[in-house]
């Protein structure tokens, strides 16, 4: 930062004493106060802060729920009803936690599609991005195991269907599944271990988030133009600019969150989960939580058990290869007229898959799921690599400053691609 | 190799002292090219750490397996067939797993037998799925072989079972006839103790 010192100098004597022993204040200063952020960031860049807030919210509500919850197959359902009826504000804790999981996924999907749109996964942010995919996988595992805890019908059958995915593995599949269950079917040992892991995984997420932020602070944030900070004029200091904006966004997001919690707390759940688990009867229409639906649709689109499981896993793993599948030298879709259309088509296909995942697996729904699944993979394997070669990107601005202030101040634009960097460096 | 580097440096130096040192270094270098006792110790320590680590992981993984109480609860169960009416399907549990006992009607048996076995996904004649002379009793595991839901009885194209989860279809012999399920509903081990009583979890050899 031009107008800020890059090295932190403690003012008080205690500060100096402490800083020379553990430079914590300096780390906070360089990461969250003096850290230069591009001056043109939009509200799409506040979802990282929203996600951090949601993780803390889930941990705080979860730790309190765990004080009143009983992880035993004979008592779990009752203990959740006990939380709802008897524990002071138990209903609020549970509704915050259950809807919080959904809000967490709303935020993470916005965050992920922001990365897709602005090419934030490209060099030099590949490691940062792949750490994000790992966080997403851990979130999925955490949410899945959390949903099992109330031990209702959807909990039980969701657990049965998802753990059975592993039985598709040739030869050792059935052994793996009985080791997941700790028995011959989903039962009390399964509930116990899921509770243990449901408590553990969020803290592992917190650990990966720390790496994620560390990796972010090496190249710095991407921005709507996709071109890097070139001078101090392209950036503003994190505090107060980003800090205040992030806090404001978190507050607005909390209003959205509160709307669900106070006005339709059960809308995102399933009524069947208020029926205690019954291993003899499967609910007529079993569907996962909304945030898993697109992947569930991909699973069902493939008429082969192992094939379906592989396709579902590949649907996420393929994200990790995006930095290399995307051959375009231009990061931001704002300068990629052709890709922009494919991007939105991809978004539509993802929503369609989500909707199809909520439909029964019959008739034309199956065919539609198959077409969407094929397109989903084609987007990564065909559209991304090919467009980089055939597309003519729009001229990029010379700098972030120019994109904000207008060209007349800084001079004419440059030919397409001239400001794009080779993918090997930042 | 630090030795090789310093040897080069000593050579370019040129002084008598350096050349003396150089010949010394050259000697040690030839020794170093052979595997030394230290190399052996490195490998032995590394191997011990890997084996030790793997040995330590084993009890943790093994603790996840079905425990002794669960295995003990898998003792055979007796089921009285007299109350099960023709056309009825009864659900029982053995080892925590759901089992269907289906008292098949004459048409259901005929439908199961009149099938071109070769055309099936998991080819098995009906006779291989029931005990001899007891074709009216079909005893199968009650979880869909796709992802474990409980299929609904007397439904689907073949009036055997239909799985509501992802649409697998089973016939009146519990054989898969459509949908994503890869294999037939498996047959649990069981034996007829008498004409009206079966023991699930015990094979006929006794
Ligand atoms: C990544 C963060 C987390 C996510 C996404 C998450 C998700 C969920 C979900 C979806 C449920 C089911 C809610 C319902 O339908 O009732 C649940 C339940 C539960 N979670 Fe979490 N959770 C997280 C963190 C935690 C933590 C850190 C703890 C404990 C320290 C915890 C403790 C519980 C308990 C005790 C329940 C059962 C009570 C209930 O069902 O409301 N959770 N969680
Ligand atoms: S579990 Fe029966 S079809 Fe999937």
């Amino acid at each position: 930062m031009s107008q800020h010192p890059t090295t932190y100098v403690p003012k008080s004597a205690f500060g100096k004493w402490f800083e020379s022993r553990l430079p914590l204040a300096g780390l906070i200063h360089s990461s969250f106060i003096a850290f230069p952020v591009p001056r043109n960031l939009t509200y799409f860049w506040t979802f990282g802060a929203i996600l951090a807030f949601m993780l803390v919210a889930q941990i705080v509500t979860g730790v309190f729920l765990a004080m009143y919850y009983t992880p035993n197959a004979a008592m779990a359902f009752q203990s959740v009803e006990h939380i709802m009826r008897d524990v002071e504000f138990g209903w609020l804790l549970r509704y915050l936690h259950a809807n919080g999981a959904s809000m967490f996924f709303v935020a993470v999907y916005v965050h992920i599609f922001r990365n897709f749109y602005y090419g934030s996964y490209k060099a030099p942010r590949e490691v940062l991005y792949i750490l994000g995919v790992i966080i997403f996988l851990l979130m999925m595992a955490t949410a899945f195991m959390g949903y099992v805890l109330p031990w209702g019908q959807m909990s039980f059958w969701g657990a049965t269907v998802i753990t059975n995915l592993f039985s598709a593995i040739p030869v050792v599949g059935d052994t793996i599944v009985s080791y997941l269950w700790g028995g011959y079917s989903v039962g009390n040992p399964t509930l116990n271990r899921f509770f243990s892991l449901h408590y553990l995984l969020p803290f592992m997420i917190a650990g990966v988030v720390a790496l994620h932020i560390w990796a972010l602070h090496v190249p710095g944030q991407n921005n709507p133009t996709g071109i890097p900070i070139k001078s101090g004029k392209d950036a503003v200091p994190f505090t107060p600019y980003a800090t205040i904006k992030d806090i404001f966004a978190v507050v607005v997001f909390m209003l959205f969150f509160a709307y669900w919690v106070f006005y339709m707390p059960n809308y995102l759940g399933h009524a069947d989960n208020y029926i205690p688990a019954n291993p003899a009867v499967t609910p007529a229409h079993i569907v996962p939580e909304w945030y898993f639906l697109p992947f569930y649709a991909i699973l069902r689109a493939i008429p082969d058990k192992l094939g379906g499981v592989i396709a579902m896993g590949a649907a996420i793993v393929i994200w990790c290869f995006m930095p290399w599948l995307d051959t375009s030298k231009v990061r931001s879709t704002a300068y990629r007229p052709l890709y922009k259309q494919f991007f939105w088509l991809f978004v539509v296909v993802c929503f369609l898959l989500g909707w199809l995942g909520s439909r029964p697996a019959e008739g034309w729904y199956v065919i539609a799921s198959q077409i969407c699944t094929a397109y989903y993979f084609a987007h990564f394997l065909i559209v991304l690599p090919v467009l980089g070669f055939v597309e003519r990107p729009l001229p990029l601005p010379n700098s972030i400053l120019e994109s904000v202030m207008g060209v007349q101040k800084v001079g004419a634009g440059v030919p397409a691609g001239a400001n794009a960097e080779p993918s090997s460096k930042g | 190799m630090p030795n090789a580097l310093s040897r080069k440096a000593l050579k370019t130096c040129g002084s008598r002292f350096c050349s003396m040192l150089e010949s010394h270094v050259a000697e040690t270098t030839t020794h170093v090219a052979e595997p030394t006792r230290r190399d052996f110790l490195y490998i032995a320590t590394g191997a011990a750490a890997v084996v030790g680590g793997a040995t330590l992981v084993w009890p943790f993984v093994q603790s996840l397996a079905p425990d002794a109480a669960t295995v003990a609860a898998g003792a055979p169960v007796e089921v009285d067939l007299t109350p099960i009416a023709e056309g009825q399907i009864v659900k029982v549990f053995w080892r925590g797993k759901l089992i269907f006992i289906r008292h098949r009607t004459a048409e259901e048996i005929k439908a199961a037998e009149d099938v071109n076995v070769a055309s099936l996904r998991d080819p098995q004649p009906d006779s291989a799925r029931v005990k001899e002379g007891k074709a009216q009793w079909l005893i199968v595991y009650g979880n869909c072989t796709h992802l474990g839901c409980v299929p609904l009885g007397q439904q689907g194209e073949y009036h055997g079972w239909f799985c509501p989860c992802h649409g697998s279809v089973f016939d009146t012999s519990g054989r898969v006839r459509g949908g994503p399920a890869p294999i037939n509903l498996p047959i649990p081990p069981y034996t007829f103790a008498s004409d009206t009583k079966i023991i699930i979890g015990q094979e006929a050899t006794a």
Side-chain angles (χ1 to χ4, degrees), chain B residues 81 131 134 137 139 190-199:
Chain B
L81 300 178
K131 302 283 180 210
K134 300 279 195 301
W137 296 109
I139 289 125
Y190 71 96
T191 175
F192 275 88
S194 72
D195 270 356
T196 58
K197 197 195 275 174
I198 57 168
I199 302 173

Side-chain angles (χ1 to χ4, degrees), chain A residues 235-418:
Chain A
V236 289
F238 194 93
T239 300
Y241 297 97
T243 325
I244 296 297
K245 191 173 177 177
D246 282 347
I247 292 173
F248 178 66
V250 168
V251 170
V252 172
F253 193 78
M254 280 163 88
L255 291 175
F256 174 68
F257 182 6
Y259 177 78
W260 293 97
V261 170
F262 293 109
Y263 290 96
M264 33 213 300
N266 287 305
Y267 185 83
L268 296 168
H270 297 287
D272 280 285
N273 221 26
Y274 282 102
I275 302 169
N278 178 357
V281 183
T282 307
H285 187 41
I286 123 156
V287 276
E289 294 285 88
W290 70 266
Y291 37 82
F292 293 139
L293 287 173
F295 304 105
Y296 193 59
I298 291 174
L299 168 78
R300 296 192 308 183
I302 314 286
D304 175 76
K305 182 168 162 177
L306 181 59
V309 174
I310 291 174
M312 185 171 71
I316 298 174
V317 172
I318 202 165
W319 294 358
C320 292
F321 296 95
M322 277 180 88
W324 298 278
L325 287 170
D326 184 347
T327 52
S328 174
K329 288 198 165 58
V330 176
R331 280 203 193 91
S332 171
T333 305
Y335 304 97
R336 300 186 59 189
L338 210 51
Y339 181 66
K340 191 181 275 176
Q341 300 176 30
F342 282 100
F343 171 84
W344 288 111
L345 181 59
F346 178 69
V347 172
V348 169
V349 166
C350 289
F351 273 99
L352 261 178
L353 277 170
W355 178 73
L356 289 165
S358 75
R359 301 289 96 199
E362 57 195 37
W364 72 271
Y365 294 133
V366 178
I367 298 161
S369 309
Q370 286 165 344
I371 295 170
C372 289
T373 300
Y375 187 77
Y376 180 95
F377 286 103
H379 176 82
F380 293 97
L381 298 173
I382 301 170
V383 175
L384 276 180
V386 171
L387 272 196
F389 294 108
V390 302
E391 184 182 49
R392 247 182 86 91
L394 301 176
L396 292 172
N398 283 308
S399 67
I400 293 174
L401 181 71
E402 184 190 289
S403 80
V404 178
M405 298 300 192
V407 181
Q408 73 281 10
K409 236 192 124 182
V410 209
V414 287

